[in-house]
Amino acid sequence: MPGGAVLHATDDVNRIEAPVTFKAYMMCAFAAFGGIFFGYDSGYINGVTGSSVFIHEIEGPNIDALSGSNASLIVSILSAGTFFGAIIAGDLADYFGRKYTIIAGCIIYVIGVTIQICQGLTSGLGLIVAGRLIAGLGVGFVTSIIILYMAEICPRKVRGTLVSGYQFCITIGLLLGACVNYAVQDRTDQASYRIPIGIQYAWGVILATGIFFLPDSPRYFVKKGRVDDARMVLARLRGQPADSEYIEAELAEIVANAEYERQMIPSTTWFGSWANCFSGSVFKSNSNLRKTILGTSLQMMQQWTGVNFIFYYSTIFLQSTGAIGNPFIISLIFTLVNVCSTPISFYTMERVGRRPLLLWGALGMLICQFLVAIIGVTVGFNKTHSIGTDASGNPIVRADNLSAVNAQIAFIAIFIFFFASTWGPGAWVLIGEIFPLPIRSRGVALSTASNWLWNTIIAVITPYMVGTTEGNLRSSVFFVWGGLCTCAFIYSYFLIPETKGLSLEQVDRMMEETSPRTSSKWVPHTTFASDMGMKNGTLDEHVVADVERKGSSV
C-alpha cells in the first residue's frame, strides 16, 4: 500500500486501548497454561529421583539414593536444554510468529517426553538424560515466547494480572506433580516413574491445540509490516469491530511506536539485531543494554531466592535430615501454599504495583530464610538422634526438638507465600514489559534463558551443597538463600521500575524520562501517534507506509 493505510489516532493517553471484554480476557488467559510445563517438571522430577525403582535402575539394587552427580545431571539437564531453547526461540518468534514458535516448542517437548518414557528399556542414564535435554529445548521455546505473547496481547490494565496467571499455572503444575508423586510413591514397578513422565503428553497436546486456534500477536504483524493483519487480530483480541475507534487508536499507537523505535534501533543484519540488545550505556536507564541487564538479572534474582531448592530437592533434603516421617506430605503442603498464595498477585500486581511487591517480597523472604537457618543449626533439623536401624541396617534418626522442626517447616511455608505472591509472578510480568518492539523477542528470550541458566547452576550445585557425602550443609544452606534474598531486596530498591497501568509503548517512554526510584510518579502525557505526526485525527500516512515497507524486509 504505497500511501500507507489510514489509521485514526488520538492524542488522549487514556483512549489508546479498548475496554476489556470477557472473551478477550479468556483468550489472553488461556496462554498462561504454558506455565504448566515449567511447574510440572519442577514437581514431578522430585518424586522420580526419589523412586526406589528408578534409583535401583540407575545406581544398582542395593543403593537407596541417587549419587549427587547423577541427581544433579538428571535434574539440571532439562534446564540446560531450556536455556538453548529460549535463545533459539527469540529468533524464530520474529521470523515465524509467536504462535507457531510456541506450537513448535510443544512438538519438541512431546518428542522429549517419548524418549524419557522409554527409560528402563536400557540400563543407565542415557534415555532419561537425552529425553530431558530434548524436552528442555521445547520448554525453552514455550516459556520464553508465552511471556512475550501474553505481554503483547494483554490489555494494559490487566496485563499484570494475566501474566501472573502464568506463574499460577506454574504452581498448578507443581501441585499436579506433587500429587502424582504421592499417588505412585508406593508402587514397586516402572510405573512409579513412567506415570509421572507420561502425564506430560497432556500438557503439550492441550497447549498446542489451544494456541493453534488463537490469533498471533498484533505487534508481531506490525513488526513484519502487515498492518491490516494486525488490525484484524487486534479486533479479535479486543472483541471490537475492525473499524472501531479503539482498534484504530491502539493500532495507530503501536505503528507510531514501531516507527519511532526503528529510528532509534535501525534494522540491520542477524548479528546486528542481537548486538542491538547490548547497545547503549549501562548508566542510561532507557538504553537497550540496561534493559537487557535488567531482564536477565531479574530472572537471576528470582532463581537466587532458593525456591527451586525446595521444589526440586525438598524430598531428598528432608529425608537426609531424618527429622520428617513422610517428606512427601510436607512437600505437598509446600506446593499447596504456593498454589493458594499466587492468586493474591492477581489483585496486588495492578493495585499495589510491581516495584513495591518485589521490594517487600524480598524483605519477607530474607527474614524467613535466615530464621529457618538459625533455628536449624541451633535446635532444629541439624539436631537428631538415632533410635535404631531399618531392615537394610541403615540408622533411623529422629529430631531432638520436634517443635523446632515444625517451626522451620512453618517459616519455609511463609517464605513460599512471600515468593508466590511477589517474585514468582513479578519477574515474569516485568520482562515482558521492559523491552522495545525491535528487540523484544530477543530480550525476553535472553531473560528467560537467564532464568534457566541459573536454574541449571542451582540444580547442579545443590546436591553437592546438601548431600551427606558432599557439603552436607543441611540447614546452613538457608544462610546462602537468605544472603541472596538480601541481594534481591537491595536490587529491587535501586533497579526495578514501576510499570503498572501503562501500555508497552508507554513503558518505553517512562523508562526514557524517569529513574526506577521515581518511576511510580510518572504519568503519560502524550501519545506516540501525536509525536510522530497526526493530520485531522489520523496518523501520518507516511509513518504507516514506512512501517509496512521496512517491516516487510525484516
Side-chain angles (χ1 to χ4, degrees):
M1 198 175 297
V6 176
L7 287 176
H8 294 282
T10 180
D11 57 5
D12 185 349
V13 296
N14 297 312
R15 292 182 64 83
I16 59 170
E17 191 173 85
V20 183
T21 64
F22 180 74
K23 177 184 176 183
Y25 195 98
M26 294 308 297
M27 289 174 67
C28 297
F30 176 79
F33 183 82
I36 291 280
F37 284 63
F38 190 163
Y40 185 78
D41 177 80
S42 300
Y44 97 87
I45 197 62
N46 189 20
V48 169
T49 54
S51 164
S52 59
V53 178
F54 183 79
I55 292 168
H56 293 160
E57 287 185 4
I58 301 300
E59 302 288 351
N62 298 318
I63 306 298
D64 294 326
L66 291 175
S67 66
S69 59
N70 284 341
S72 172
L73 176 62
I74 292 168
V75 172
S76 65
I77 195 65
L78 182 131
S79 302
T82 306
F83 171 83
F84 292 105
I87 296 291
I88 295 168
D91 273 334
L92 297 182
D94 273 350
Y95 285 107
F96 301 108
R98 286 49 164 150
K99 168 180 172 177
Y100 291 107
T101 303
I102 294 169
I103 293 173
C106 293
I107 294 171
I108 296 170
Y109 177 75
V110 167
I111 293 171
V113 171
T114 301
I115 295 173
Q116 289 178 68
I117 210 166
C118 293
Q119 174 66 31
L121 298 180
T122 61
S123 59
L125 291 168
L127 289 175
I128 190 71
V129 169
R132 284 180 61 76
L133 178 63
I134 294 171
L137 289 171
V139 174
F141 277 42
V142 171
T143 54
S144 63
I145 306 307
I146 277 287
I147 293 298
L148 171 64
Y149 179 70
M150 292 184 69
E152 290 189 337
I153 69 172
C154 291
R156 58 177 175 151
K157 293 181 180 178
V158 293
R159 187 177 60 242
T161 296
L162 290 171
V163 178
S164 294
Y166 172 81
Q167 176 66 23
F168 181 60
C169 285
I170 291 177
T171 68
I172 293 294
L174 281 162
L175 177 61
L176 291 172
C179 290
V180 171
N181 286 340
Y182 185 69
V184 301
Q185 67 173 319
D186 294 326
R187 294 190 69 106
T188 57
D189 57 8
Q190 291 180 331
S192 64
Y193 64 82
R194 282 185 172 171
I195 289 175
I197 292 172
I199 286 174
Q200 294 175 101
Y201 280 119
W203 318 142
V205 172
I206 292 171
L207 183 62
T209 303
I211 288 290
F212 179 79
F213 292 102
L214 293 182
D216 213 322
S217 163
R219 289 173 171 87
Y220 161 71
F221 285 124
V222 169
K223 182 177 173 65
K224 300 295 284 185
R226 296 162 59 181
V227 175
D228 287 336
D229 288 336
R231 182 199 299 271
M232 301 309 296
V233 164
L234 201 55
R236 186 177 170 193
L237 286 169
R238 301 293 182 254
Q240 296 275 335
D243 59 354
S244 160
E245 64 172 294
Y246 288 111
I247 299 302
E248 293 268 316
E250 184 171 359
L251 183 57
E253 190 71 357
I254 295 171
V255 169
N257 174 259
E259 179 61 15
Y260 172 80
E261 294 294 354
R262 277 207 184 92
Q263 293 175 3
M264 299 293 103
I265 313 172
S267 297
T268 58
T269 62
W270 173 85
F271 178 80
S273 64
W274 277 103
N276 282 335
C277 294
F278 304 95
S279 63
S281 169
V282 71
F283 299 106
K284 185 179 178 183
S285 63
N286 196 45
S287 73
N288 291 345
L289 175 61
R290 180 74 170 264
K291 290 177 179 178
T292 299
I293 292 174
L294 176 60
T296 53
S297 58
L298 261 170
Q299 293 296 317
M300 176 186 74
M301 288 291 173
Q302 190 200 58
Q303 290 299 307
W304 277 12
T305 61
V307 69
N308 278 337
F309 164 76
I310 294 169
F311 293 117
Y312 277 145
Y313 293 108
S314 61
T315 301
I316 297 172
F317 174 74
L318 293 174
Q319 285 173 335
S320 71
T321 66
I324 304 298
N326 191 338
F328 281 100
I329 291 292
I330 300 300
S331 178
L332 185 58
I333 290 172
F334 290 161
T335 305
L336 282 170
V337 172
N338 196 23
V339 172
C340 295
S341 302
T342 302
I344 295 172
S345 66
F346 296 174
Y347 174 79
T348 56
M349 198 62 66
E350 300 297 350
R351 185 71 175 181
V352 177
R354 283 65 153 159
R355 178 179 165 85
L357 275 187
L358 297 191
L359 189 65
W360 293 108
L363 179 62
M365 288 190 295
L366 74 88
I367 291 172
C368 290
Q369 296 280 27
F370 280 125
L371 285 173
V372 172
I374 293 168
I375 294 171
V377 299
T378 53
V379 293
F381 281 148
N382 290 22
K383 305 296 182 179
T384 59
H385 60 274
S386 176
I387 60 171
T389 58
D390 60 20
S392 302
N394 299 312
I396 301 173
V397 293
R398 290 291 181 267
D400 291 347
N401 189 327
L402 187 58
S403 297
V405 171
N406 289 337
Q408 281 186 277
I409 292 172
F411 280 117
I412 292 173
I414 296 170
F415 158 80
I416 293 171
F417 162 79
F418 278 112
F419 175 85
S421 57
T422 60
W423 272 85
W428 294 112
V429 171
L430 277 163
I431 67 167
E433 297 176 329
I434 60 176
F435 294 102
L437 183 59
I439 66 166
R440 186 172 294 140
S441 66
R442 291 177 172 89
V444 174
L446 285 168
S447 301
T448 307
S450 172
N451 180 290
W452 287 105
L453 173 64
W454 286 99
N455 192 308
T456 304
I457 292 171
I458 290 171
V460 168
I461 66 175
T462 297
Y464 298 99
M465 294 168 69
V466 299
T468 55
T469 59
E470 284 91 9
N472 198 26
L473 289 178
R474 307 187 80 180
S475 295
S476 298
V477 73
F478 289 95
F479 282 119
V480 176
W481 307 133
L484 293 175
C485 286
T486 303
C487 294
F489 177 75
I490 297 170
Y491 170 90
S492 300
Y493 180 76
F494 287 105
L495 295 176
I496 291 177
E498 182 54 71
T499 59
K500 73 169 182 174
L502 303 177
S503 70
L504 296 182
E505 291 70 36
Q506 289 170 342
V507 171
D508 287 345
R509 181 64 56 81
M510 177 273 293
M511 295 185 74
E512 186 177 325
E513 297 180 353
T514 188
S515 68
R517 283 180 287 173
T518 59
S519 57
S520 61
K521 299 177 182 178
W522 186 88
V523 293
H525 48 82
T526 184
T527 65
F528 276 98
S530 61
D531 289 346
M532 296 302 293
M534 284 175 55
K535 296 179 180 179
N536 300 320
T538 62
L539 182 64
D540 188 337
E541 291 183 12
H542 292 93
V543 173
V544 183
D546 281 347
V547 167
E548 291 179 326
R549 175 172 51 83
K550 295 175 183 177
S552 62
S553 64
V554 174

